[in-house]
């Protein structure tokens, strides 16, 4: 029963002032065990805010991050799953599933978390799962202004992961859930 | 403590359990806690057990939340907005899950530290898991209490006794294996397979011979031949009895269920009066009249009982500022779990659980008075009595402590090796006392206790308290005099072993008188002052002496005359001894003052209003010895005279008249005098005071003073309100001879006039002049032999040189005067 928060692309302060208040009210310390951040926070204050939610914080570097010490990729293991993080601006074309699958194979992970497109996406394919939490602040992206704030909470429990997607649509929080199971031998999506 | 199970004519064929569950503590406790019916057949026991277990299982399934498992197989897609992990909705399963996790964390924190010395059982994961679940479920069931530290310590012994009983069961199993073995499938029938022809008994015998012949051949063949206790165990554990496996009363599988039931019963009180859960609640109970949390009320009840049983210890603790809840909180919340070792605790809990918990019918008189909840049931009374018994167990070390910290240390670190039987035996009568005694209204208990502590504290802090409000003459702080008194007292006690006999009796009377004084007095400050004075003596012995004195003084109020005389004689004995002792000390002044006051009260039968002086005198009476019998006789005579007098004119003038030398204790004596209603007593007080001023060396001064007083009285002819003070001062040249003459004149005069008035005046003057002279002499001494030159014979010039001689002569003359007075 490990709760992992996947969040990113906040672009504070350049493109957005802060998280939506409804999101902020939900993110309370004590419930979440890990935070995976795809990048583009951009400033240290956001980093500190995440630290208050959970001390175990993993960030990769986005193109506008002011802290240059973040890595480009990162991998970690939670429970039975291997997770990989990458911001995604390095992967061209941006948001292309095949290219992202290549990164996933390269990193040899079950779940790959990327961002940069500011669009929520969750793909399952034979290699594993690719998740894009979107932009938590709803900041405009390189190709669109119409962005809904969103983030992802993963509940990893043994060989099963439940992905909860929180989206702010028209001022209301909408939640969706996706189940993924990992087979013991081969990492397959479903 | 044994539960006698009545043999009833059970409709069913199930055997009736006879005898007590002497060795099955868990069953006993379950019966005491009203989980199991107390008198019934095995079947009933089993049924009730099974029901309670079912309840627990249901509760557990309901409350222990696994958010992944869909509940009741309802909607496939639960409303995710509500049911997501981050949901703030309190109803969501995730919300409950997280709340439970919080509780579990708190519980774990305590459990990890539970009974480390018995870690082999309590720290095992299985036991810890059970404890955790039970506590969690109880707290979820009773959200108004939540989890408080200490609940785990109430639960642990319950689990332990269940475990012990299960172990006992396995022992019995080994011994009497054949009764437990299920030979259901082992029986092989003969060819014709006709059951009713089958000889079961013979077959069983043969089977047993095959199986267990290596054991003793005396194995009981049938159940009835067994020891009744073993029989009970077998019946209770029969897998085929009522309710099947669920009904096995001693079962390892259902230890958790049973422990939960016991815990619940203990906490909720099972419709009784004492519910442990109340002790964890910070909110005052609904029907509480004092508006205090129940545990505070219970602590106050404890102190109340202590004050009834042992008021000196109680007042000692109150003075030190040891509030009962400092230690009683832990005692009550964990039912003494932290004070005794586990085995001892089981014995204590045996006693407590045996006591009936049903609320008692209180008398009608208590309608207005809200009786304390703790005394409302036998169990509550026993708990209170146990606590008081424990306090009394360490009484000596408590009384010896000087500050609150050591007191609390002693109470919170209860001695390891204790005589538990004695402790419990002492608690039994206290319990009866608690149930029977007239419980005063809650308000008085709480106000009284708070006021007590307040007044004690405030009095202690005051640098100079006016013994009587009218005379602000005390120039020296309380502690100074009390300290001096203490030093004095110690020395006296050291040297007056042989005279202890006298002191107790004398003290006895004093205390009674004083007690009556205290009880009669209506002014508020008196108890406070009594407290103040008492606390000055940091020895409980003295305080208890004081108490005794007060009590006894109070009781003897009626026999003032006789008592006065006898007291006087006693006191004089005391005085003489004291004088003797004091002669060898520095603090003679104080001692003399105290003694003088003592004697004053002795002499004044109508001393009623003078609680202060009585208090002052009480400690002094102890340890005093027989030194000056002559003095005694004099005083007794005066006392008898005075006791018949009634006049309240002069007592006020007395204090005013006497100037107080700096170091002399007269300030104590004078204020004592002022509240005197009785003028004659006042006079005597002053006379006595004067005596007190003197050490053994100075006894003659007292006598001289008296001579002067009598002389004055005779001079004035009695009854006049002139300030004899001036006369006294002027008459510094009074010699012993003149005083004698005065005395004789006095006597002659007195005989001629109305006895009452003359005596009054005479005595008043006596007192005043005596006081004056004594003060003068004091000043003489303190000025380092400065010659006052007022009294020729006294040799005021240099008392040190020929002081002794002149003193003796003066004393003799004073004696003569007193004799004359007595003839009046």
């Amino acid at each position: 029963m490990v709760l992992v928060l996947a969040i990113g692309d906040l672009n504070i302060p350049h493109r957005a002032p802060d998280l939506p208040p409804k999101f902020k009210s939900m993110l309370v310390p004590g419930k979440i065990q890990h935070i995976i951040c795809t990048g583009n926070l951009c400033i240290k204050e956001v980093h500190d805010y995440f630290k208050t939610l959970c001390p175990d914080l993993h960030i990769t570097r986005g193109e506008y991050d002011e802290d240059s010490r973040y890595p480009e990729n990162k991998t970690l293991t939670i429970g039975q799953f291997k997770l990989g993080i990458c911001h995604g601006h390095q992967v061209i074309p941006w948001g292309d599933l095949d290219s992202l699958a290549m990164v996933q194979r390269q990193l040899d992970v079950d779940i790959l978390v990327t961002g940069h497109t500011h669009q929520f996406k969750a793909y399952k394919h034979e290699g594993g799962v690719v998740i894009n939490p979107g932009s938590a602040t709803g900041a405009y992206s390189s190709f669109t202004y119409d962005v809904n704030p969103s983030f992802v909470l993963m509940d990893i429990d043994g060989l099963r992961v439940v992905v909860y997607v929180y989206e702010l649509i028209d001022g209301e929080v909408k939640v969706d859930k996706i189940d993924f199971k990992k087979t013991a031998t081969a990492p397959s999506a479903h | 403590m044994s539960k006698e199970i009545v043999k009833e004519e059970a409709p069913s064929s199930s055997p009736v359990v006879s005898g007590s569950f002497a060795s099955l503590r868990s069953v006993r406790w379950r019966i005491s806690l009203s989980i199991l019916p107390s008198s019934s057949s095995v079947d009933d026991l089993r049924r009730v057990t099974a029901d309670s277990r079912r309840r627990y299982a249901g509760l557990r399934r309901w409350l222990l939340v696994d958010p992944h498992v869909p509940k009741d197989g309802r909607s496939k897609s639960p409303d995710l907005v509500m049911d997501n992990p981050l949901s703030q909705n309190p109803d969501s399963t995730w919300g409950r899950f997280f709340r439970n996790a919080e509780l579990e964390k708190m519980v774990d924190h305590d459990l990890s530290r539970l009974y480390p010395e018995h870690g082999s059982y309590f720290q095992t994961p299985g036991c810890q898991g059970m404890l955790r679940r039970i506590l969690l479920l109880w707290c979820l069931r009773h959200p108004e209490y939540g989890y408080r530290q200490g609940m785990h310590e109430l639960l642990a012994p319950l689990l332990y006794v269940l475990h012990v009983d299960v172990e006992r069961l396995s022992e019995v199993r080994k011994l009497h294996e054949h009764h437990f073995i299920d030979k259901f499938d082992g029986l092989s029938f003969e060819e014709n397979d006709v059951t009713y022809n089958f000889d079961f008994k013979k077959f069983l015998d043969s089977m047993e011979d095959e199986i267990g012949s290596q054991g003793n051949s005396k194995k009981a063949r049938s159940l009835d031949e067994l020891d009744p206790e073993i029989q009970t165990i077998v019946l209770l554990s029969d897998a085929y009895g009522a309710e099947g496996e669920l009904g096995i009363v001693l079962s390892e599988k259902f230890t958790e269920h049973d422990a939960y039931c016991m815990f619940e019963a203990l906490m909720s009180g099972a419709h009784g009066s004492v519910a442990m859960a109340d002790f964890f609640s910070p909110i005052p109970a609904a029907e509480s009249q004092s508006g205090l949390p129940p545990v505070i009320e219970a602590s106050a009840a404890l102190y109340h009982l202590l004050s009834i049983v042992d008021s000196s210890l109680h007042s000692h603790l109150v003075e030190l500022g040891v509030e009962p809840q400092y230690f009683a909180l832990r005692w009550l919340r964990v039912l003494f779990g932290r004070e005794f070792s586990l085995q001892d605790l089981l014995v204590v809990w045996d006693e407590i659980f045996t006591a009936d918990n049903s609320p008692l019918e209180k008398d009608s008189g208590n309608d207005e008075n809200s009786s304390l909840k703790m005394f409302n049931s036998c169990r509550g009374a026993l708990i209170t009595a146990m606590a008081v018994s424990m306090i009394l167990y360490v009484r000596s070390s408590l009384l010896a402590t000087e500050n609150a910290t050591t007191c609390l240390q002693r109470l919170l670190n209860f001695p390891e090796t204790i005589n538990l039987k004695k402790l419990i035996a002492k608690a039994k009568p206290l319990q009866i006392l608690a149930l029977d005694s007239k419980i005063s209204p809650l308000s008085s208990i709480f106000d009284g206790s708070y006021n007590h502590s307040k007044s004690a504290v405030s009095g202690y802090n005051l640098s100079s308290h006016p013994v009587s409000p009218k005379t602000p003459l005390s120039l020296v702080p309380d502690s100074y005099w009390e300290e001096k008194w203490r030093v004095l007292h110690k020395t006296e006690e050291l040297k007056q072993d042989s005279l202890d006999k006298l002191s107790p009796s004398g003290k006895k009377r004093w205390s009674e008188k004083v007690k009556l004084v205290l009880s009669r007095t209506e002014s508020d400050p008196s108890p406070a002052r009594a407290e103040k004075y008492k606390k000055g003596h940091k020895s409980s012995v003295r305080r208890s002496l004081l108490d005794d004195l007060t009590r006894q003084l109070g009781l003897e109020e009626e026999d003032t005359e006789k008592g006065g005389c006898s007291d006087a004689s006693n006191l004089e004995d005391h005085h003489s001894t004291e004088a003797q002792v004091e002669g060898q000390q520095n603090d003679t002044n104080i001692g003399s003052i105290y003694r003088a006051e003592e004697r004053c009260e002795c002499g004044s039968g109508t001393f009623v209003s003078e609680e202060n002086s009585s208090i002052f005198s009480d400690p002094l009476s102890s340890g005093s010895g027989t030194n000056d019998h002559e003095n005694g006789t004099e005083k007794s005579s005066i006392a008898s005279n005075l006791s018949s007098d009634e006049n309240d004119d002069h007592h006020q003038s007395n204090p005013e008249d006497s100037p107080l030398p700096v170091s002399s204790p007269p300030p104590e004596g004078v204020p004592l005098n002022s509240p005197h209603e009785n003028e004659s007593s006042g006079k005597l007080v002053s006379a006595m005071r004067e005596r007190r001023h003197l050490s053994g060396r100075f006894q003659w001064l007292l006598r001289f003073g008296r001579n002067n007083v009598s002389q004055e009285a005779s001079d004035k002819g009695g009854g006049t309100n002139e300030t004899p003070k001036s006369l006294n001062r002027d008459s510094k040249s009074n010699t012993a001879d003149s005083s004698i003459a005065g005395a004789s004149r006095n006597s002659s005069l007195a005989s001629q006039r109305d006895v009452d008035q003359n005596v009054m005046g005479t005595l008043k003057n006596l007192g005043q002049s005596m006081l004056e002279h004594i003060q003068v002499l004091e000043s003489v001494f303190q000025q380092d032999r400065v010659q006052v030159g007022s009294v020729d014979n006294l040799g005021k010039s240099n008392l040190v040189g020929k002081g002794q001689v002149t003193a003796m002569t003066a004393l003799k003359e004073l004696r003569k005067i007193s004799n004359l007075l007595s003839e009046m």
Side-chain angles (χ1 to χ4, degrees):
Chain A
M1 183 75 74
V2 180
L3 291 178
V4 182
L5 177 72
I7 196 168
D9 285 326
L10 293 95
N11 284 104
I12 296 170
H14 306 122
R15 301 187 192 176
D18 199 1
L19 279 165
K22 291 205 172 165
F23 278 1
K24 261 204 148 148
S25 68
M26 291 206 309
L27 294 173
V28 296
K31 291 186 181 176
I32 298 162
Q33 274 85 51
H34 305 274
I35 295 186
I36 291 176
C37 194
T38 53
N40 266 358
L41 292 179
C42 305
I43 47 179
K44 189 175 176 301
E45 279 77 358
V46 184
H47 175 100
D48 293 339
Y49 169 70
F50 284 150
K51 270 286 195 188
T52 66
L53 291 183
C54 165
D56 192 28
L57 180 60
H58 306 274
I59 312 184
T60 50
R61 181 145 202 267
E63 73 265 43
Y64 295 116
D65 268 317
E66 306 216 338
D67 190 344
S68 58
R69 290 170 304 168
Y70 299 142
E72 294 283 333
N73 309 311
K74 201 159 189 191
T75 56
L76 61 149
T77 307
I78 296 174
Q80 303 283 344
F81 287 90
K82 286 190 285 202
L83 291 94
I85 319 168
C86 174
H87 179 244
H89 68 276
Q90 310 95 328
V91 179
I92 297 165
W94 294 338
D96 180 46
L97 176 61
D98 292 326
S99 316
L100 290 174
M102 276 202 295
V103 175
Q104 188 180 12
R105 283 192 293 273
Q106 213 172 2
L107 294 175
D108 187 24
V109 290
D110 301 313
I111 302 171
L112 180 67
V113 182
T114 58
H116 187 57
T117 60
H118 296 210
Q119 297 269 347
F120 163 72
K121 286 282 190 302
Y123 299 115
K124 329 169 238 210
H125 62 98
E126 76 280 352
V129 178
V130 176
I131 295 175
N132 188 329
S135 164
T137 52
Y140 58 88
S141 73
S142 309
F143 34 83
T144 177
Y145 275 104
D146 184 18
V147 175
N148 285 324
S150 66
F151 67 89
V152 158
L153 184 73
M154 288 187 284
D155 178 12
I156 297 176
D157 194 16
L159 285 173
R160 184 179 136 209
V161 59
V162 180
V163 175
Y164 294 90
V165 180
Y166 296 81
E167 266 186 287
L168 193 71
I169 298 170
D170 296 331
E172 288 300 320
V173 177
K174 297 276 192 298
V175 187
D176 204 1
K177 183 165 103 168
I178 306 165
D179 254 312
F180 296 113
K181 265 205 187 63
K182 175 180 162 177
T183 58
T185 50
S188 67
H190 209 21
Chain B
M1 193 144 84
S2 58
K3 292 282 170 208
E4 293 300 320
I5 308 233
V6 176
K7 269 200 190 285
E8 22 180 78
E9 204 52 50
S12 65
S13 59
S14 63
V16 172
V17 180
S18 64
S20 66
F21 296 105
S23 68
L24 299 177
R25 205 179 237 138
S26 72
V27 183
R28 269 214 311 273
W29 282 13
R30 276 186 268 176
I31 293 173
S32 313
L33 292 170
S34 312
I35 302 171
L36 291 179
S38 59
S39 59
S40 65
S41 64
V42 173
D43 272 3
D44 281 349
L45 281 173
R46 292 176 66 115
R47 269 188 216 107
V48 174
T49 312
D51 281 339
S52 62
R53 285 168 182 172
R54 274 192 209 104
R55 272 204 308 274
Y56 174 71
L59 187 73
R60 199 169 105 172
R61 281 192 202 126
W62 173 47
L63 281 181
L64 278 190
V65 173
D66 182 10
H68 294 297
V69 177
K71 290 232 174 286
D72 309 326
R74 21 179 197 110
S75 56
K76 290 272 169 145
S77 51
D79 184 11
L80 273 177
V81 174
M82 196 188 76
D83 232 359
N84 61 77
L86 294 180
S87 162
Q88 307 290 20
N89 193 325
D91 291 334
S92 74
T93 47
W94 281 97
R96 285 189 10 228
F97 171 80
F98 281 118
R99 274 197 299 280
N100 294 357
E102 285 284 332
L103 260 180
E104 257 194 57
K105 228 191 295 185
M106 269 208 298
V107 170
D108 273 339
H109 196 58
D110 280 340
L111 283 180
S112 57
R113 298 177 293 177
L114 175 68
Y115 277 125
E117 67 269 16
H118 297 282
S120 58
Y121 175 66
F122 287 109
Q123 295 293 328
T124 56
C127 178
Q128 290 258 309
M130 277 201 285
L131 290 166
R132 192 179 300 123
R133 276 194 298 276
I134 294 172
L135 288 169
L136 196 63
L137 287 173
W138 189 88
C139 293
L140 290 176
R141 194 86 164 80
H142 300 265
E144 66 272 14
Y145 292 110
Y147 176 75
R148 297 263 177 277
Q149 188 181 27
M151 292 182 179
H152 68 296
E153 302 213 10
L154 277 177
L155 175 59
L158 300 176
L159 203 59
Y160 182 72
V161 300
L162 283 166
H163 173 74
V164 163
D165 280 353
V166 166
E167 284 188 339
R168 170 110 176 81
L169 174 67
S170 54
E171 278 172 24
V172 171
R173 251 182 210 267
K174 282 195 207 105
L175 280 178
H176 301 271
E177 213 176 304
H178 57 287
H179 286 297
F180 289 94
I181 291 176
D182 181 10
K183 291 192 286 281
F184 198 75
D185 290 329
L187 294 174
S188 66
F189 294 87
E190 313 248 347
E191 294 95 15
N192 57 4
D193 211 354
V194 176
T195 319
Y196 57 85
N197 261 345
F198 190 73
D199 188 356
F200 283 98
K201 202 146 193 329
K202 195 170 101 194
F203 186 77
L204 280 171
D205 287 349
S206 63
M207 271 193 75
E208 279 174 17
D209 289 338
E210 291 163 20
I211 297 170
S213 50
Q214 61 269 49
N216 54 40
S217 53
K218 284 200 215 160
K219 271 191 281 192
R221 290 296 178 219
S222 80
L223 208 56
D224 299 325
E225 293 168 28
L226 281 176
D227 191 21
E229 189 197 313
I230 310 287
Q231 194 181 5
T232 313
I233 294 181
V234 170
L235 286 173
L236 290 175
S237 332
D238 182 13
Y240 293 106
E243 302 279 0
E245 284 212 3
L246 198 63
I248 299 177
V249 180
L250 300 169
S251 162
E252 189 167 1
K253 210 157 85 166
F254 300 111
T255 312
E256 191 178 331
H257 305 61
D258 295 336
Y260 178 82
C261 294
M262 288 170 79
F263 183 64
E264 159 115 48
L266 181 62
M267 291 295 270
S268 68
H271 312 292
S273 178
V274 173
M276 295 306 300
D278 285 343
F279 290 151
F280 290 95
S281 154
I283 310 162
E287 62 275 3
S288 143
Q289 296 236 347
S290 64
L292 293 170
V295 69
I296 311 279
E297 274 187 24
S299 316
L302 204 152
Y303 254 25
H304 181 63
L305 183 59
L306 180 65
S307 67
I308 296 173
V309 171
D310 185 348
S311 57
S312 53
L313 177 59
H314 175 252
S315 44
H316 172 73
L317 288 173
V318 165
E319 286 167 21
L320 288 187
V322 177
E323 296 273 324
Q325 54 266 24
Y326 294 160
F327 58 91
L329 191 88
R330 192 173 85 178
W331 288 10
L332 292 171
R333 275 196 177 176
V334 197
L335 266 190
F336 313 111
R338 283 270 183 97
E339 322 303 323
F340 299 111
S341 68
L342 185 59
Q343 295 303 328
D344 285 345
L345 182 69
L346 296 181
V347 176
V348 172
W349 280 22
D350 278 342
E351 289 295 328
I352 293 182
F353 290 156
T354 318
D356 185 32
N357 200 17
S358 48
L360 296 171
E361 295 292 329
K362 280 289 189 178
D363 298 334
S364 59
N366 278 341
D367 279 338
E368 308 91 30
N369 310 337
S370 62
S371 55
L372 290 162
K373 193 158 182 274
M374 277 301 278
F375 295 154
N376 227 2
S377 70
C378 290
R379 191 176 291 177
L382 182 59
I383 294 174
T384 318
M386 266 304 298
V388 172
S389 161
M390 284 165 71
I391 298 178
L392 291 176
Y393 193 86
V394 287
R395 181 177 196 268
S396 44
S397 41
L398 286 181
L399 288 174
T401 60
E402 298 295 338
N403 55 27
T405 319
T406 29
C407 237
L408 281 171
Q409 269 176 2
R410 177 75 274 182
L411 286 166
L412 288 172
N413 297 326
F414 211 68
E416 283 288 325
T417 50
I418 55 169
N419 189 344
L420 192 65
K421 283 202 180 73
K422 211 164 70 165
L423 206 65
I424 294 179
K426 211 193 265 191
K428 289 280 170 73
L430 292 179
Q431 175 198 12
I432 297 170
L433 178 68
L435 288 172
D436 290 344
S437 70
K438 240 179 168 280
I439 310 292
S440 43
L442 266 183
S443 55
S444 79
I445 293 173
F446 291 108
D447 294 343
S449 60
Y450 290 149
N451 285 344
H452 238 235
S453 50
K454 276 188 211 145
S455 62
V457 170
S458 58
Y460 196 66
N461 290 333
L462 283 176
S463 58
S464 68
H465 69 93
V467 173
S468 92
K470 293 171 198 161
T471 50
L473 288 173
S474 62
L475 304 171
V476 185
D478 248 2
S479 51
Y480 171 73
W481 293 119
E482 282 143 13
E483 192 189 13
K484 296 255 180 191
W485 182 89
R486 237 175 288 129
V487 171
L488 177 73
H489 187 69
K490 268 190 205 140
T491 349
E492 284 173 9
E493 279 184 328
L494 282 174
K495 297 182 183 176
Q496 300 306 328
D497 291 338
S498 60
L499 298 162
D500 279 350
K501 248 194 310 174
L502 292 171
S503 6
S505 58
K507 272 179 284 181
K508 214 172 182 301
R509 270 170 242 131
W510 278 128
S511 56
E512 285 167 4
K513 269 198 183 165
V514 175
K515 182 183 186 186
L516 193 54
V517 166
L518 286 170
S519 61
R520 276 195 195 176
T521 194
E522 294 182 1
S523 61
D524 258 351
S526 44
R529 267 182 287 167
E531 278 301 319
K532 276 188 286 190
Y533 190 82
K534 280 187 204 171
K535 77 176 143 21
H537 321 307
K538 289 184 182 161
S539 155
S540 60
V541 174
R542 293 175 203 119
R543 230 175 274 107
S544 55
L545 290 178
L546 214 57
D547 289 344
D548 293 338
L549 279 169
T550 49
R551 257 180 264 126
Q552 286 145 5
L553 274 176
L555 289 174
E556 272 208 288
E557 231 287 324
E558 272 60 50
D559 319 324
T560 51
E561 295 200 359
K562 293 181 211 165
C565 292
S566 48
D567 285 344
S569 53
N570 278 330
L571 282 172
E572 277 139 9
D573 290 344
H574 301 328
H575 172 71
S576 46
T577 336
E578 281 181 347
Q580 224 176 28
V581 174
E582 283 185 330
Q584 309 165 26
Q585 301 171 21
N586 294 334
D587 305 335
T588 53
N589 289 345
I590 299 112
S592 54
I593 289 178
Y594 290 119
R595 276 171 306 194
E597 291 175 344
E598 207 181 5
R599 250 169 266 124
C600 272
E601 293 164 299
C602 150
S604 62
T606 55
F607 207 62
V608 181
S609 59
E610 189 49 61
E611 60 268 11
N612 286 330
S613 40
S614 60
I615 289 162
F616 271 47
S617 67
D618 289 343
L620 293 172
S621 62
S622 64
S624 53
T626 314
N627 199 10
D628 192 357
H629 292 276
E630 294 174 325
N631 254 352
T633 49
E634 287 174 341
K635 285 170 192 154
S636 58
S637 58
I638 287 185
S640 52
N641 285 332
L642 287 177
S643 60
S644 58
D645 294 336
E646 292 282 339
N647 196 336
D648 55 353
D649 277 344
H650 299 270
H651 70 278
Q652 290 181 1
S653 58
N654 275 341
E656 287 150 22
D657 291 343
S658 26
L660 302 172
V662 176
S663 71
S664 78
E668 297 295 331
V670 168
L672 282 179
N673 251 353
S674 52
H676 272 170
E677 307 264 344
N678 190 349
E679 180 263 345
S680 59
S681 59
K683 250 194 250 171
L684 186 59
V685 167
S686 59
M688 297 306 180
R689 205 183 312 130
E690 291 170 348
R691 292 176 185 236
R692 284 177 206 159
H693 290 198
L694 306 174
S695 63
R697 275 181 279 177
F698 305 150
Q699 285 175 13
W700 60 272
L701 288 175
L702 284 176
R703 296 199 184 94
F704 175 73
R706 192 191 289 159
N707 276 340
N708 285 333
V709 170
S710 60
Q711 184 194 6
E712 288 300 324
S714 63
D715 286 342
K716 287 162 193 173
T720 58
N721 259 342
E722 290 179 40
T723 54
K725 180 177 181 176
S726 53
L727 281 172
N728 285 342
R729 286 197 185 118
D730 295 342
S731 63
K732 281 182 184 178
S733 54
N734 287 340
T735 64
D737 294 333
S738 57
S739 59
I740 293 171
S744 56
R745 265 179 284 149
N746 196 7
S747 56
S748 60
L749 284 169
S751 60
Q752 292 165 10
R753 292 174 197 159
D754 189 39
V755 177
D756 288 335
Q757 284 182 1
N758 287 343
V759 170
M760 298 299 296
T762 302
L763 293 170
K764 185 177 47 174
N765 294 332
L766 265 169
Q768 288 165 358
S769 57
M770 275 175 71
L771 187 59
E772 285 294 352
H773 282 288
I774 287 175
Q775 286 159 3
V776 163
L777 291 165
E778 285 294 333
S779 63
V780 167
F781 275 94
Q782 281 159 18
Q783 291 163 17
D784 282 334
R785 308 158 192 184
V786 172
Q787 302 199 3
V788 178
S790 54
V791 180
D792 298 342
N793 277 2
L794 287 183
K796 285 190 182 182
S797 52
N798 198 340
L799 291 167
V800 175
K802 45 177 180 175
Q804 293 277 347
V805 178
T806 49
M808 290 313 299
T809 46
L811 282 170
K812 276 181 213 155
E813 281 158 0
L814 281 173
R815 273 178 218 142
K816 289 179 202 168
I817 293 165
S818 66
N819 287 334
L820 291 167
L821 284 174
S822 61
E823 292 158 15
M824 285 160 41

